Amino acid sequence: MQSIYQFLLVMCVFLFQGCATQPISSGSADLRFNDFKASLIVEYWEYFPGLAVAAGYYKHDDVLSVPNEINRRKLDKFLTRSSRRLSEFSNRSLSATNQTDYLVLQNHIKKLRWNLDTLKPFQWRADGYNVAREFNLILNTDYKPLNDRLRAVSTRMKNIADYYAAARVNLTDPTLEHTLLAIEQNKGGLGIWTNLLPDKVRQSTLPESEKQQILQASSITAEVIESHINWLEHRRSTLERKGARSFRLGKELFNQKFNLEIVSQFTAEEIYQKALATREEIHDQMTMISKSIWPHYFPNEIYPADHLVGVKRMITEISQEHVDREQFVESIRSQIPELERFIVSNDLLELDQTRPLVVRETPTFQRGVSGASVNSPGPYDATANTYYNVTPLDHFSPEQAESYLREYNSRMMQILNIHEAIPGHYTQLMHANKSPSLVKSLFRNGAMIEGWGLYAERMMLEEGYGDHEPELWLLYYKWLLRSVTNTILDREIHIHNLARSDAMNMMINQAFQETTEAEEKWRRATLSQVQLTSYFTGFTEIYGFREEIREALGDDFVLRDFHNQFLSYGSIPVKYIKAIMRYDLGLSKSIEL
Ligand code: ZN
Ligand code: ZN
């Protein structure tokens, strides 16, 4: 079941935001609902002990749940019981916070039910079976003394053979792509048993006999995982010879997944049509900008007959303005105060100066996928810092560093900082935290979060950040085009059988991407479904809603107030925020979902 969550954290590695307390409510229905929520989550962790560890809830750190049919039936019963308990509450009688928590829980239960009964990733996603992440977290997170964590690990290891045996029973119809990923990721996790755990055992003060016991279990575990990898390799060659289930989800499942995961006012088809239209608008804008600045950069050449070829030349040209590789981390650090100043002096939204963002070099054990990411504390650890992790470029060859620095050139860095930090993800999370809700911070809506990141970029540029410089706008459009193209790719790959060569062509020629970026994106699109559509969906909804409210309020519209109020509802689907905010602003007589 862990595969459901595998790709929620891919792009922006966005861990859980802190908040442990529930708001106190006076109504008796609210008191009962608060109890219900709290007990539901406590029980939830029993079914998902691995997710609990990832969320910073360590009560079940010694439990590895075996993904077999018995446990799926238990989950089935839990879901039935939970939705019955939920339906005993009348949503309308609850406080605003609880009304939205109710909706979020209702949708989450529905999504789990759909995964269990309909999508059944446990049958076809081999990458859903990998024990590395939680063992790694337990060994590397200092939530209790090392000796105690090692004892938890020791108990937790006992189920590993059963865990992988159940995986092999479940995987009746694996795709080739997820099988390859599973091989790669399980191999990547072997170091835990060969290096990390033995090192930690040696550092500990456990009695010698206990040390020996854990070391022995560790080497047996390595063998268990190696033999699972062998099974996967064997499976892979059979799949290659005889054919496999397609990674393409198909129309029905894709649309259902979109509805449950994104929870939008729009259908997946409508968002796809909007993406197609937006791509044309962006191309027109980019062409206009490129033509206007062309003579400055290429005084002796006329603009190419193919407009998009001209755009590509301009992007390549201005991408050469970048910082030196040694200055990469420092340049990001020095940019944050500038963004804050701009927001304050233009009165765009409220910033909280009491809990500043800490820019740091990404800790080595977290390095890997992305160059920059926001890392906020878990819901059970409210006081910890929010970090902006930036990975220094010292692992790159000179050529790789140059290519990376062109991608994240001086202007693109500013857009990235807006998106990740201020007023993007970091600011949004801080606002969400003002009305703390464990439900909302655990079951966050990715489309709202990523949509806000994209909205923040657009809003800052519209308000004059960067003095309306055409070069900055050109690169902004390239960035937006990436989300738009992701949406188009996601649907065309999963529903229209888009071929790899056509997808590559689209990314390189219509979205101005480099070949390596496009190759990685193709891979990601074959391994995930719907997630790539979430960014543009959230953006479209937030931007459209702002324009709607601007029009409805006329002269009374204040951008700052809109932002503060919008963010106050937390990381819930934009569809819910719109319904509640229209009601709160007196624009509708009831909350219409
Ligand atoms: Zn250069
Ligand atoms: Zn993001």
Side-chain angles (χ1 to χ4, degrees), residues 328-515:
F328 188 67
V329 177
E330 196 43 48
S331 73
I332 290 181
R333 190 175 280 127
S334 64
Q335 245 242 308
I336 303 300
E338 284 176 40
L339 292 170
E340 287 176 336
R341 266 197 300 278
F342 183 83
I343 288 163
V344 170
S345 64
N346 290 278
D347 205 19
L348 295 178
L349 50 77
E350 195 185 325
L351 297 175
D352 181 356
Q353 309 290 355
T354 59
R355 288 185 61 188
L357 179 66
V358 183
V359 181
R360 69 170 180 190
E361 295 192 1
T362 313
T364 34
F365 75 90
Q366 281 186 15
R367 291 186 192 183
V369 199
S370 78
S373 61
V374 166
N375 193 174
S376 52
Y380 296 100
D381 186 14
T383 54
N385 283 326
T386 302
Y387 292 103
Y388 189 7
N389 290 333
V390 185
T391 307
L393 308 184
D394 33 68
H395 57 298
F396 283 147
S397 70
E399 295 74 26
Q400 285 172 323
E402 175 65 19
S403 151
Y404 189 86
L405 288 164
R406 285 189 183 187
E407 183 62 35
Y408 292 100
N409 58 70
S410 306
R411 294 183 181 88
M412 205 59 121
M413 267 328 301
Q414 299 175 39
I415 297 167
L416 180 72
N417 289 333
I418 292 172
H419 177 103
E420 295 290 337
I422 293 171
H425 293 324
Y426 162 69
T427 307
Q428 186 261 318
L429 269 174
M430 230 167 42
H431 278 258
N433 234 13
K434 284 183 190 162
S435 61
S437 150
L438 194 52
V439 167
K440 292 187 187 84
S441 56
L442 289 173
F443 308 127
R444 301 184 311 185
N445 183 266
M448 184 277 172
I449 291 169
E450 291 305 342
W452 176 263
L454 289 175
Y455 169 79
E457 302 158 13
R458 176 61 155 263
M459 182 275 289
M460 289 287 275
L461 262 64
E462 284 183 348
E463 294 304 311
Y465 179 80
D467 289 329
H468 302 283
E469 188 202 36
E471 285 87 346
L472 184 60
W473 271 97
L474 184 64
L475 289 173
Y476 161 73
Y477 279 124
K478 184 193 166 190
W479 182 272
L480 176 62
L481 196 49
R482 185 152 79 177
S483 301
V484 171
T485 305
N486 285 348
T487 305
I488 296 169
L489 282 174
D490 203 14
R491 189 163 185 88
E492 294 195 351
I493 287 172
H494 284 289
I495 300 182
H496 307 163
N497 289 326
L498 183 72
R500 185 180 189 276
S501 56
D502 294 332
M504 292 293 291
N505 207 344
M506 184 198 295
M507 287 184 272
I508 292 168
N509 297 317
Q510 296 200 62
F512 316 108
Q513 294 178 9
E514 298 301 319
T515 308

Side-chain angles (χ1 to χ4, degrees), residues 277-288:
T278 304
R279 181 167 67 187
E280 293 317 302
E281 287 165 23
I282 293 175
H283 283 165
D284 289 347
Q285 292 293 331
M286 292 179 98
T287 303
M288 220 168 66

Side-chain angles (χ1 to χ4, degrees), residues 532-548:
L532 285 172
T533 299
S534 64
Y535 300 71
F536 179 67
T537 308
F539 171 71
T540 302
E541 290 212 72
I542 297 172
Y543 195 86
F545 183 55
R546 186 194 71 185
E547 294 309 288
E548 174 198 319

Side-chain angles (χ1 to χ4, degrees), residues 144 175 299 422 441 569:
K144 65 183 183 186
T175 74
I422 293 171
S441 56
Y569 301 101

Side-chain angles (χ1 to χ4, degrees), residues 91-107:
N91 188 9
R92 294 295 160 84
S93 66
L94 300 170
S95 70
T97 302
N98 276 337
Q99 284 190 30
T100 45
D101 277 2
Y102 179 105
L103 294 171
V104 169
L105 283 175
Q106 188 179 46
N107 188 69

Side-chain angles (χ1 to χ4, degrees), residues 18 35 58 84 95-96 99 126 147 171 177 203 248 257 298 307 331 348 356 373 428 450 459 468 490 521 557 573:
D35 286 347
Y58 299 109
R84 199 185 55 231
S95 70
Q99 284 190 30
N147 284 2
L171 285 169
E177 291 74 12
Q203 286 162 29
R248 301 177 198 269
K257 193 170 191 206
F298 306 107
H307 293 169
S331 73
L348 295 178
S373 61
Q428 186 261 318
E450 291 305 342
M459 182 275 289
H468 302 283
D490 203 14
K521 187 55 60 62
F557 179 83

